[in-house]
Amino acid sequence: MKGSTNVVITGVGGQGNVLAARLLAAVALAEGLEVTVGDVYGLTQRGGSVASHVRWTEGHPLPPLVPQGALDILVAFEPLEALRIQSQFGRPETAALVNESPVMPIGVQAGRFPYPDAAALWSLLDRMTGSCRRVAGSETARALGNVQALNTVMLGALCGSGLVGFEAGAFEETIRSELPARFVDLNLEAFKRGLALGGAGGKAAE
Amino acid sequence: MTPNPLKRVLMLGNEAIARGALEGGISYATGYPGNPSSEILETLFKWSDAHDVAVEWSVNEIVALEAAAAFAFSGRRAVVTMKQNGLNVAADFLTTVSLDELPGGLLVVVCDDPGPLTSSNEQDSRHFARIAQIPLLEPSTPQEAKDMAVYGLEISQRFGLPCMLRAVSRLSHGRGPVSLGPVASKGPQPRFDRDRPKVGLPFLVTRNHARLLRLREEIRAEFEASPWNGYTGPEGVSTLVVASGLSATYGLEAIQTLDLGDRVGLLKLGTTWPLPRERILERVGRADTVCFLEEVDPFVEEGVKVVCAENGDRAGRIRFLGKNDGFVAGPDGPGVGEMNTDTALSALGRLFDPAPVQGEPLPEDLLARARDLLVPRELSFCQGCPHRASFYALKTALELDGRDGFLVGDIGCYGMAAGTTGFQQIKALHCMGSGMGNACGFSRLKEFGFDQPVVAVAGDSTFFHAGLPALANAVHHNADAVFVILDNAVTAMTGFQVNPATPAAVSHGKRELRIENAARGLGAEAVVLDPVADVNAAVEAVLQAVETGGVHVLVFRHGCATFFQKRADRSARPRVWVDAETCLGDQCGCNRFCSRILSCPAILFDPETGVARIDEQVCTGCGLCVQVCPREAILLERSEDGNP
Ligand code: SF4
Ligand code: SF4
């Protein structure tokens, strides 16, 4: 819809991308925007795909799901999930930020089908988006000693990319107010490293 | 807390409903867990102490509703929550309590699951508001969900009958800004008036029914002026969209996306039973084309058509477009699946010629290539899940028995046993406890020459929710029936809620009921075993049960791995690894049994070494794979302190 911004943050159950969506929405709300979030997941068990749709506008409240072909920004915690969401909601102009580390579906692990070839997957993502930036998100989170920090690394990358137009300070404020005190420092550091990834060609910060 | 009405907080639709119930002055909240409704009670549990609200997960939905009604009988307000399937269970009471005169307030919240995302049907619960003749509210945003919950409690008490609030998955699990209001006081000391009007006796029903229908007209009059109903758009346009609840936001987005704001009006309805007749005629009467957006059934569509038929002189000739004529249809057809902006766009787009333009889609060749590469992410039992052991034992026993036996079951994590993760073992899966009732009939089928063994599975929570009557029925009729109760101690599927089988240590002192005691009390044989600790003993027990007559209850007891792992000390976890020397990989002839067939998420097949490998980060140390590897190549070492 004209005047609306449509973001999907996608990943795999257990990666915590729902939290990243909540933080992004809180930033948009603090900016005075009319924001809506829709979490899309199946049963509560692990291993399934989980996507959060975050949308904002200055007008009427939007419904929780992004319409097909209306996706502006895709933040994917996993490359296969990036392709899944882009196929369903994407348009040729979508800007994507994609964490490089794959998470194997149970059927791949069980040998029932193969995980797509990395080169084929990335080249298709490049062709299906306006821009597709690869982010060393998991690597950065692991370097920080906590894989769950992937959330704020990816948020940092999103902020650093300039795609959403919210200031880093607004994100940092939200991280401080929304997360339990004992996780704040770790996540602020993760966010900072993410900022560099978003704007520095997607390579891990030194 | 004195909330600042200017400050808006982001809330899940379900949290907003909980907040509304709280602001509406409830003293009591009950329910039975079920997606997408569970978060309402989960949220109220968090507020229960601070706001002095009694909150409980009841044993099933009808008990939840009956218990909540006791508060309404005594002048207090209560809320009861459930998913659509649950309303069927509660319907017996709902359709009689609406004939009562309640001095308190009773809000019935039903969360429907169009699509369905997590359910065994996609029923439209709104029909029950009509059957029970009670007011029905359909919110379109979390803010409205909160405000309608407050209003619903108020209108319920004022008219003395239950009010129904109907949400759908996308609203319940969607998040939006909500401004909070004050929390109302809970009312006077509760008291049951022994002289209150009598109800339920047949000779009183007609009188009370007539009263209920009079009330319906009073409520309709109130709804005519309700702020929940509203028109957006220019005057004098001939095309009108009528949309209820969340569908109003889909309609609005479609109109704006197609730039039809000056050619199409939208009548949003938030009070959908009884329908605000005048409000509808006022708008519909000026249109010549009326298009309906709602989910799941054409409930408003048919209601509006009745209003128009009864007021032909004011309605005029109208072209109705909706589900009945198939004009409004998602990819699976009209009246099937969720409503969304895409379906609204497609319907409105077809109304105008030339069709309004949208952006360029992705090229078909790229989408086709993506379809080739996209592999599914199937659901699976978690690592260490007791159901993996249980269904492996059941499958093995029925194969050994060799008489084409099969499983009937119902819904819960174990329902996934209809799929690959549970070796496709469950062959009939309908509603809570349905397998146990089915088993009673399969036993009688023997009188007609039926000779396949049948095992009914049900979970611990399901056993108390709906299994007890089926068990009594089986014992009473001297059935030959095998019931395997998968007791994992919590209601795992819907978010690990406590139930009567939950140990007191976990449920904070609620009394724990033992399934085997209930079964024995009803006269059934009952055996308890741990299928994970000794999977072969579980196979034996099933084999024996299907080969001997009578009613057998086998309680497979082992806690939900995911719930208990969160609380467990990681260092006490047994270490499990594959002896790469012993594992023969593809040379073994086991067809990669552990990774491909058992398919535990912690077992990987390493293509480089050609043998299996355990991901020690993920493995819970349950030991199932150790017992079933034909080469005994998987080894387990318990930690010093020992962890069962
Ligand atoms: S949540 Fe518990 S019961 Fe459900 S699949 Fe996971 S381990 Fe099994
Ligand atoms: S012991 Fe085996 S079956 Fe159990 S969780 Fe570990 S790998 Fe899976």
Side-chain angles (χ1 to χ4, degrees):
Chain A
M1 189 169 96
K2 287 178 201 77
S4 69
T5 302
N6 296 312
V7 183
V8 171
I9 305 188
T10 185
V12 176
Q15 283 190 312
N17 50 302
V18 171
L19 177 64
R22 264 179 59 190
L23 294 172
L24 175 62
V27 173
L29 182 72
E31 299 282 315
L33 295 157
E34 188 63 48
V35 59
T36 312
V37 187
D39 295 333
V40 182
Y41 50 87
L43 304 170
T44 48
Q45 282 68 47
R46 298 230 180 124
S49 311
V50 182
S52 293
H53 296 219
V54 186
R55 323 185 61 198
W56 59 81
T57 163
E58 290 178 19
H60 292 285
L62 293 164
L65 294 194
V66 173
Q68 286 168 20
L71 183 60
D72 301 311
I73 302 162
L74 168 61
V75 181
F77 284 31
E78 206 280 342
L80 182 62
E81 295 315 305
L83 187 62
R84 204 184 303 283
I85 293 296
Q86 184 62 11
S87 310
Q88 208 182 341
F89 301 99
R91 55 194 182 98
E93 299 80 15
T94 307
L97 292 166
V98 184
N99 178 29
E100 289 180 327
S101 304
V103 177
M104 295 301 153
I106 185 81
V108 168
Q109 225 170 284
R112 283 197 303 277
F113 33 73
Y115 192 88
D117 171 68
L121 181 59
W122 288 108
S123 98
L124 186 58
L125 277 173
D126 277 335
R127 291 167 63 204
M128 281 176 77
T129 53
S131 71
C132 176
R133 184 186 286 271
R134 299 170 61 157
V135 179
S138 295
E139 201 182 309
T140 307
R142 260 195 305 275
L144 283 165
N146 189 335
V147 287
Q148 292 300 324
L150 177 59
N151 258 314
T152 32
V153 173
M154 294 304 288
L155 267 188
L158 176 63
C159 179
S161 70
L163 291 168
V164 286
F166 304 141
E167 298 291 326
F171 282 92
E172 285 160 1
E173 196 47 50
T174 303
I175 290 172
R176 277 192 209 96
S177 63
E178 298 284 320
L179 296 185
R182 63 185 192 284
F183 295 130
V184 167
D185 286 346
L186 169 74
N187 281 288
L188 285 175
E189 179 59 28
F191 179 78
K192 202 173 93 196
R193 296 206 192 178
L195 272 179
L197 295 182
K203 291 287 165 277
E206 295 310 312
Chain B
M1 161 173 62
T2 354
N4 171 2
L6 296 177
K7 183 172 155 40
R8 302 200 301 164
V9 288
L10 276 180
M11 279 188 158
L12 213 53
N14 278 349
E15 290 167 349
I17 293 170
R19 175 71 201 184
L22 185 73
E23 290 182 7
I26 54 160
S27 299
Y28 189 33
T30 64
Y32 185 81
N35 278 318
S37 71
S38 311
E39 297 83 4
I40 304 170
L41 235 57
E42 301 283 5
T43 306
L44 285 167
F45 269 110
K46 287 185 211 144
W47 297 335
S48 129
D49 285 346
H51 293 278
D52 196 19
V53 178
V55 187
E56 75 171 47
W57 284 122
S58 308
V59 84
N60 68 20
E61 292 85 355
I62 190 166
V63 173
L65 177 59
E66 289 160 346
F71 276 57
F73 292 154
S74 312
R76 286 296 182 96
R77 289 182 177 181
V79 66
V80 53
T81 71
M82 60 198 72
K83 70 182 295 179
Q84 82 277 10
N85 308 86
L87 186 59
N88 300 337
V89 177
D92 204 358
F93 187 73
L94 184 71
T95 52
T96 54
V97 74
S98 62
L99 295 165
D100 205 328
E101 294 175 40
L102 305 176
L106 181 56
L107 182 68
V108 181
V109 180
V110 185
C111 300
D112 280 1
D113 185 17
L117 307 168
T118 55
S119 303
S120 56
N121 75 7
E122 56 173 343
Q123 152 188 319
D124 189 332
S125 294
R126 298 178 295 174
H127 298 289
F128 279 101
R130 187 178 160 176
I131 294 170
Q133 297 293 1
I134 55 174
L136 170 65
L137 307 174
E138 286 190 71
S140 69
T141 60
Q143 178 72 58
E144 270 191 8
K146 194 216 73 170
D147 295 340
M148 281 185 174
V150 179
Y151 173 69
L153 282 160
E154 192 268 321
I155 192 179
S156 162
Q157 184 156 18
R158 191 149 41 80
F159 286 95
L161 39 88
C163 175
M164 182 165 151
L165 187 148
R166 184 243 195 177
V168 291
S169 306
R170 299 297 180 201
L171 180 79
S172 286
H173 289 166
R175 230 171 259 278
V178 177
S179 42
L180 309 184
V183 175
S185 78
K186 297 205 162 32
Q189 153 94 18
R191 189 160 171 78
F192 186 92
D193 177 4
R194 287 161 34 110
D195 297 326
R196 61 194 290 276
K198 289 194 182 51
V199 287
L201 297 171
F203 66 93
L204 295 172
V205 166
T206 45
R207 187 197 74 190
N208 291 329
H209 191 187
R211 178 183 155 275
L212 178 61
L213 297 185
R214 275 197 309 277
L215 285 178
R216 182 188 66 193
E217 295 314 307
E218 287 176 32
I219 294 168
R220 190 193 307 279
E222 175 159 330
F223 284 176
E224 297 287 5
S226 169
W228 310 120
N229 307 318
Y231 177 78
T232 316
E235 296 300 325
V237 287
S238 58
T239 304
L240 179 73
V241 173
V242 177
S244 68
L246 190 57
S247 294
T249 65
Y250 298 135
L252 213 51
E253 177 164 39
I255 290 170
Q256 296 185 352
T257 304
L258 298 174
D259 235 340
L260 294 172
D262 54 352
R263 295 162 79 184
V264 178
L266 182 128
L267 176 63
K268 164 181 173 293
L269 295 177
T271 67
T272 48
W273 189 264
L275 281 170
R277 198 181 284 139
E278 291 302 318
R279 205 67 181 266
I280 289 168
L281 281 170
E282 176 200 355
R283 286 295 159 190
V284 172
R286 297 183 208 171
D288 56 28
T289 301
V290 175
C291 179
F292 297 95
L293 301 177
E294 61 186 316
E295 48 192 354
V296 179
D297 293 337
F299 181 81
V300 170
E301 176 180 342
E302 289 176 356
V304 168
K305 285 174 179 171
V306 169
V307 168
C308 292
E310 289 172 350
N311 297 276
D313 51 327
R314 291 168 63 194
R317 260 188 83 81
I318 298 167
R319 183 177 164 220
F320 289 113
L321 303 169
K323 288 175 173 150
N324 281 349
D325 63 324
F327 190 84
V328 177
D332 297 313
V336 183
E338 289 187 275
M339 176 58 63
N340 52 34
T341 304
D342 300 309
T343 300
L345 280 169
S346 136
L348 288 181
R350 271 178 285 128
L351 267 180
F352 293 89
D353 192 24
V357 265
Q358 295 183 54
E360 280 301 309
L362 283 163
E364 185 47 43
D365 62 317
L366 294 184
L367 290 171
R369 178 87 184 107
R371 280 193 293 274
D372 286 345
L373 291 187
L374 277 171
V375 291
R377 232 173 248 287
E378 301 157 301
L379 295 172
S380 148
F381 292 141
C382 307
Q383 50 275 15
C385 175
H387 298 326
R388 184 173 285 105
S390 298
F391 287 99
Y392 173 73
L394 285 159
K395 165 182 183 291
T396 309
L398 292 177
E399 279 169 8
L400 288 171
D401 173 85
R403 289 178 293 162
D404 279 342
F406 59 96
L407 302 186
V408 288
D410 62 281
I411 43 195
C413 284
Y414 53 94
M416 287 193 284
T420 345
T421 191
F423 321 108
Q424 280 149 352
Q425 288 298 294
I426 295 184
K427 302 299 182 190
L429 181 157
H430 297 279
C431 65
M432 293 292 284
S434 58
M436 293 183 69
N438 294 155
C440 295
F442 282 119
S443 171
R444 293 304 294 260
L445 208 49
K446 289 186 180 166
E447 295 165 30
F448 301 88
F450 180 80
D451 60 2
Q452 290 166 275
V454 180
V455 177
V457 295
D460 44 355
S461 194
T462 309
F463 177 80
F464 289 107
H465 177 291
L468 283 170
L471 179 56
N473 192 66
V475 175
H476 176 58
H477 290 287
N478 292 309
D480 294 330
V482 182
F483 300 121
V484 172
I485 310 303
L486 305 161
D487 180 4
N488 62 357
V490 287
T491 313
M493 166 89 135
T494 48
F496 316 108
Q497 292 83 5
V498 302
N499 68 58
T502 307
V506 176
S507 69
H508 303 296
K510 289 201 172 38
R511 184 145 163 204
E512 174 187 357
L513 308 187
R514 290 279 170 155
I515 292 158
E516 60 276 21
N517 292 346
R520 289 181 193 132
L522 287 173
E525 297 275 338
V527 178
V528 182
L529 36 87
D530 180 342
V532 183
D534 190 346
V535 73
N536 292 323
V539 174
E540 262 316 302
V542 175
L543 250 184
Q544 218 178 25
V546 293
E547 280 166 5
T548 48
V551 178
H552 297 267
V553 174
L554 307 181
V555 182
F556 282 8
R557 178 166 295 142
H558 188 103
C560 161
T562 293
F563 180 74
F564 287 98
Q565 285 292 316
K566 276 188 198 147
R567 313 167 141 241
D569 169 12
R570 270 185 82 97
S571 65
R573 196 185 279 187
R575 193 170 90 82
V576 177
W577 73 99
V578 176
D579 176 7
E581 304 292 298
T582 319
C583 176
L584 297 180
D586 281 335
Q587 263 55 62
C588 173
C590 76
N591 192 16
R592 293 191 199 163
F593 183 83
C594 58
S595 57
R596 185 177 284 151
I597 296 158
L598 202 58
S599 202
C600 171
I603 308 181
L604 314 164
F605 184 81
D606 192 335
E608 276 168 30
T609 58
V611 296
R613 186 166 66 78
I614 308 285
D615 181 343
E616 292 191 31
Q617 286 302 312
V618 175
C619 170
T620 68
C622 79
L624 174 65
C625 56
V626 180
Q627 298 169 62
V628 296
C629 169
R631 288 278 299 168
E632 298 184 2
I634 310 180
L635 305 173
L636 176 145
E637 185 181 68
R638 291 194 190 282
S639 69
E640 285 304 297
D641 341 328
N643 186 21

